[in-house]
Structure formats: structure tokens, C-alpha cells
Amino acid sequence: LHLHRLRALCDAVIVGAGTAAIDNPQLTTRRVAGEHPVRVLIDPSLRLAPTLRVLSDRQAPTLLVCDASRESEAAQRVGPEQVLGVPGLMKNDGGPPDLRALLPVLQARGLRVLFVEGGGITVSRFVAQGCIDRLHLSVAPVLIGSGRPGLSLPGTAAMRDCPRPPARVFRMGADVLWDLDLRPAP
């Protein structure tokens, strides 16, 4: 329910290709009142099947994000109206997408309030590249073993060197949510 509320408050909801492929999400606000956000799928390698719900259900506008060099290839797979080719998204070194290249392209389309919903790799990349203002971390009483990757950031050797951003804590039934403010201090 919390995720649906956040979707209703944003212009766009962002997920990575791994989450889209595994979960086949709808990324809509079907459990709360409000407009559906634009659904943004970051898929630099164009591995997502065009039959995924988010690419085929037409419930909300969807953008498949890839490097501008692969835009025509993506358009052939899912249609040009669903493709957002971003110049400089991928560097020649084979590393992760440069999310700082994506943000102004989304803003130019009027998508200013962005909700990076997941998964863990995508959220971790946004945090590591300084592209997130707020981070919601929740703990639920569910044991999933090693499970899917969650937040993964370069660590420090000593606890005293770890960042301690301003935070608020909320109870959501049996779950606990931390709302962390990651904006640089004024």
C-alpha cells in the first residue's frame, strides 16, 4: 500500500531490468486513488521481453531506457513511443549506466518527481551516484535467506566512518520504515 501511495505522488516510477524481468510488475496505483506514474525501465542491454505487462498492457505510459546508440534497436522491439534513448547512458568501459545522464532527460519530459522503486541493484546505483534525495528502507518480519540483492554500497572499515543521514522512523503494521534524507547538508 505504501508503494502504491508513493507511485501516486510521483511523476515517474523507475525499476531496473532485473526487477522487471523477475517480477513482471504493473507499477500502477491500483490500490490507491491517483494517476498512474510514467513507468521507466532501465534496460541498457535490451534484455526485457516486449511481452512484459509493463511494456504491453498500456495502463500507463512506459519508457524503456537505453543508450542513444541502441534507440532504433529498442524501437523495433517495443515501438518508438516507448523508447527513451539517453546519450552517454553507457560508457565504453562496460560499467554501470551513468544515471546522471538520465535525470536531465527525464526532467526535460516534465518528469521531476522520480520514485526509484527497485530493485536493489538499481537503487544502489542511484545512491552510489548521488542521484537520490530520500531513501526509504523498510524491515519486515519475513525470512527469505540470502534472497535477492538489497542495498549494496561500498563500505567503510569502521562504523564511525559510516554516513548517518537524518532519518525519521514510521511503523507500518508489523513493518518498520526509515525515511533517510540523503541530500547534501546546506
Side-chain angles (χ1 to χ4, degrees):
L1 189 60
H2 177 68
L3 290 175
H4 286 250
R5 286 182 183 132
L6 290 175
R7 291 176 191 161
L9 295 171
C10 70
D11 298 321
V13 59
I14 301 171
V15 298
T19 294
I22 292 168
D23 293 346
N24 195 14
Q26 293 177 7
L27 303 176
T28 61
T29 60
R30 61 196 178 280
R31 293 187 180 177
V32 299
E35 292 185 32
H36 300 313
V38 173
R39 305 175 296 187
V40 176
L41 308 174
I42 301 175
D43 185 17
S45 62
L46 300 180
R47 65 182 174 134
L48 293 176
T51 55
L52 287 175
R53 283 191 292 212
V54 74
L55 289 168
S56 62
D57 68 10
R58 306 291 184 201
Q59 289 186 38
T62 302
L63 294 172
L64 179 70
V65 173
C66 63
D67 191 81
S69 65
R70 299 193 73 183
E71 188 170 356
S72 63
E73 180 185 352
Q76 289 175 352
R77 297 181 69 192
V78 300
E81 72 285 354
Q82 292 195 116
V83 174
L84 180 60
V86 177
L89 181 69
M90 298 306 296
K91 305 296 182 205
N92 291 334
D93 64 3
D98 182 355
L99 301 169
R100 292 172 301 253
L102 172 61
L103 297 180
V105 175
L106 292 174
Q107 289 175 351
R109 288 178 165 251
L111 305 175
R112 299 190 189 301
V113 179
L114 308 174
F115 172 31
V116 183
E117 186 169 321
I121 293 170
T122 299
V123 172
S124 296
R125 287 177 176 164
F126 271 86
V127 171
Q129 294 181 31
C131 296
I132 287 198
D133 290 335
R134 302 195 83 76
L135 179 65
H136 282 189
L137 293 176
S138 61
V139 175
V142 178
L143 300 175
I144 57 174
S146 59
R148 290 174 39 200
L151 191 62
S152 177
L153 299 170
T156 59
M159 184 66 92
R160 69 180 172 273
D161 298 327
C162 293
R164 294 183 184 270
R168 297 182 302 162
V169 180
F170 300 93
R171 300 261 331 153
M172 298 187 311
D175 301 353
V176 178
L177 176 113
W178 283 269
D179 174 24
L180 305 174
D181 186 348
L182 301 183
R183 294 173 293 189

